[in-house]
């Protein structure tokens, strides 16, 4: 009886220790470490226009590399380089609207292809905290300049208009928000299995995320449920959409960097500033990130 009681006691103590043990989740990278990510995204947009559905499909594929060039006790400096950018946008109303692939030779009359080719001819510097918070991005101005110069546009006024337009997508601040949605997944404090924490992503796509530490083995498994807000502005509309997303992360236990991440999102319009009559719009998307 005593031996049985002791066995139960030991098992109980081990179980209690296992569930209450805390881990500091963070990046543990070394200078020279290089990580290449393959990102794929599909985005379906359905907008009702006078009773007819206008359907737009965006297919995006990106290949990019982060390389650790410096570090401190609390931050990392990462050199970032686009290896490939591929985007195809199709519409049931207008057909193929965008078709860019920087891995293919660019035709002489393909201005759009030349512009995006500038992405792969530039390097950015990213400063990131141990938790994945992006502190700053540098080099976007030079990258945008490369993109514009490759376009072949000579008129200076037109160039300046293009530069201002591209800052909203490829400026230092915009890229900082984009990178953070890949990297900022960890809390500052130690957590146990089942613990939750919150953070926010800002920019054109904003979300409030509640993260849960699901499991730690040779990998770290995280899950986040988020409330989502995004804006789509063009010459025809200025939409504010709200919805939700779910994020699943499988990360390398040793380095902290993801092995893979899947983001599923759904949002519909809450308002259209330019339209007195609301045109229902719905967006669904799936984005995956994987280590190459």
């Amino acid at each position: 009886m005593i031996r049985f009681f002791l066995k139960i006691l030991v098992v109980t103590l081990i179980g209690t220790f296992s569930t209450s043990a805390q881990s500091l989740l963070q990046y543990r990278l070394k200078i020279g470490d290089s990580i290449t990510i393959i990102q794929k995204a599909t985005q379906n947009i359905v907008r009702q226009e006078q009773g007819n559905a206008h359907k737009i499909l965006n297919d995006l594929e990106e290949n990019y590399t982060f390389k650790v060039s410096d570090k401190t006790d609390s931050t990392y400096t990462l050199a970032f380089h686009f290896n490939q950018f591929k985007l195809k946008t199709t519409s049931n109303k207008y057909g193929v609207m965008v078709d860019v692939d920087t891995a293919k030779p660019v035709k002489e009359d393909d201005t759009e292809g030349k512009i995006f080719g500038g992405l792969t001819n530039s390097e950015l510097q990213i400063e990131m905290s141990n938790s994945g918070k992006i502190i700053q991005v540098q080099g976007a101005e030079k990258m945008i300049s490369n993109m514009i110069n490759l376009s072949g546009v000579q008129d200076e006024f037109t160039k300046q208009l293009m530069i201002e337009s591209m800052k909203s997508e490829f400026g230092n601040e915009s890229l900082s928000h984009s990178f953070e949605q890949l990297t900022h997944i960890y809390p500052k404090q130690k957590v146990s299995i089942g613990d939750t924490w919150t953070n926010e992503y800002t920019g054109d796509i904003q979300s409030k995320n509640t993260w849960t530490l699901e499991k730690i083995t040779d990998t770290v498994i995280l899950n986040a449920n988020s409330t989502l807000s995004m804006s789509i502005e063009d010459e025809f509309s200025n939409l504010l959409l709200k919805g939700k997303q779910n994020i699943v992360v499988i990360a390398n236990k040793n380095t902290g960097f993801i092995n893979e991440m899947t983001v599923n999102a759904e949002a519909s319009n809450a308002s259209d500033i330019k339209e007195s009559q609301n045109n229902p719009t719905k967006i669904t998307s799936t984005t995956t990130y994987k280590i190459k």
Side-chain angles (χ1 to χ4, degrees), residues 20-126:
S20 63
Q22 292 189 316
S23 300
L24 181 60
L25 304 178
Q26 62 179 13
Y27 290 91
R28 298 179 176 87
L29 303 170
K30 303 186 297 293
I31 293 176
D33 281 353
S34 181
I35 302 106
T36 296
I37 302 287
I38 304 294
Q39 176 185 343
K40 295 182 180 181
T42 57
Q43 182 186 64
N44 287 281
I45 305 172
V46 180
R47 180 175 170 85
Q48 298 297 328
E49 300 174 351
Q50 299 178 337
N52 297 314
H54 182 195
K55 300 178 182 180
I56 298 173
L57 174 64
N58 290 315
D59 276 315
L60 172 70
E61 185 173 336
E62 295 178 276
N63 176 318
Y64 44 80
T65 299
F66 298 92
K67 187 172 183 178
V68 182
S69 57
D70 200 3
K71 62 179 292 187
T72 68
D73 290 340
S74 59
T75 65
Y76 294 96
T77 301
L78 309 172
F80 173 88
H81 183 260
F82 276 107
N83 304 312
Q84 182 184 10
F85 180 88
K86 183 179 179 181
L87 173 64
K88 187 172 185 178
T89 300
T90 55
S91 159
N92 66 335
K93 192 173 181 180
Y94 302 111
V96 178
M97 301 167 66
V98 178
D99 192 0
V100 173
D101 186 352
T102 59
K104 295 180 179 179
V106 182
K107 296 179 181 178
E108 186 58 37
D109 60 348
D110 186 2
T111 302
E112 204 165 54
K114 291 178 181 178
I115 290 173
F116 282 102
L119 288 174
T120 60
N121 293 326
S122 306
E123 186 172 278
L124 303 173
Q125 296 295 320
I126 303 169

Side-chain angles (χ1 to χ4, degrees), residues 187 189-198 209-213 223:
Q189 72 278 12
K190 290 184 176 181
V191 288
S192 303
I193 304 298
D195 282 354
T196 63
W197 63 95
T198 60
N209 315 298
T210 300
W211 293 89
T212 303
L213 174 57
N223 185 286

